[in-house]
Amino acid sequence: AGRHGSDAGLAWGAVDVTGVDFDFLLASGVEALSHHDAASVARAKQVLLAAAAADPFRAHLAWRALSFLAEVTGNPEEALRFVEQAVENDPGDPYALYQRGRILASRDDLDGAMDSFSRALAVELEFPDALAAMGEIQNRRGEFAAAERYLEPALALDPKLAGVAALRGVNFLGLGSVGDAEKSFQAALALQKDQPTAQNGLAWCRYLRGEVQEALTQLGEIDDHRRSFPETEPHRAWARAQLARIQDHIQKVAWTDRFERTDLMNGWSRNEQAGPQISIHDGMVTLAGAFNQTKGLDRVW
């Protein structure tokens, strides 16, 4: 009873899943993953575990779904355990390898993550998400040229990845290419008009180009647009920090002194306690002479 009815997936908590076929169990478990309430989460885990037991040869499909379920419900150790089971069950499953790479990257095991993504790409050559993930790791390492070698083909395979386009813009900033960064940020915003990394990145490009007021205006708009988030939210916190930083910068005064005189004035002070003497000659301040045995200071400030 309840095996194939349209409402069967709603009542797994009260249904004996013994004998239910693998495909239906897997589909029901994945469907339950789309809901976020506690009952759906519990149902998804029960059904996916039953699916893994129902067909040992295809258990990796259930294990990798269980890994994702554990990840999104805040159980990282369980997520890693499930995905390791998936990879052990089928070492050639590119999506299990990709999930494993993501989890390892979140644990700062970057070498392990790169290896897992590489193995996924060896099976599935056109896998833009794996390419993008490898590009992100290289960007985190400061290997910007290497990151570009992954991000460019990822977007060539799937130009609609707004987050990857934004990441590529950040990577171009690391390469010192402001023009290319602007193009990438604009491409990301064309796909997703409120993509936060692209918004912040474009504001920073304007600042780098000397368009200070435009950058301040855009950063202020980002902060205002994200006011529903707490001030600690990463994108809003970054925008606010740069606002303060730039405002402090433009308020500073550059002051020079050509020392076109014979003595220190205009607020300069000196200490001559250790032997060397301070003098001005031809526009240069010199601290010169032999040190004596006292413990005093010689300085000019």
Side-chain angles (χ1 to χ4, degrees), residues 113-160:
M114 287 292 285
D115 176 69
S116 202
F117 292 136
S118 295
R119 289 167 60 189
L121 284 168
V123 180
E124 184 70 41
L125 296 177
E126 296 186 352
F127 198 162
D129 292 326
L131 286 165
M134 296 176 83
E136 182 177 12
I137 288 176
Q138 295 293 58
N139 177 267
R140 286 169 62 180
R141 287 173 162 170
E143 301 289 343
F144 305 119
E148 171 62 9
R149 290 196 291 271
Y150 292 111
L151 297 174
E152 189 277 332
L155 285 168
L157 288 169
D158 190 349
K160 295 183 179 180

Side-chain angles (χ1 to χ4, degrees), residues 18 72 75 84 93 95 106 158 174-176 193 198 206 286 298:
T18 303
V72 299
N75 296 288
E84 293 288 13
D93 179 1
Y95 300 99
S106 71
D158 190 349
L175 288 168
K193 65 178 181 180
R206 288 180 175 172
T286 303
D298 257 40

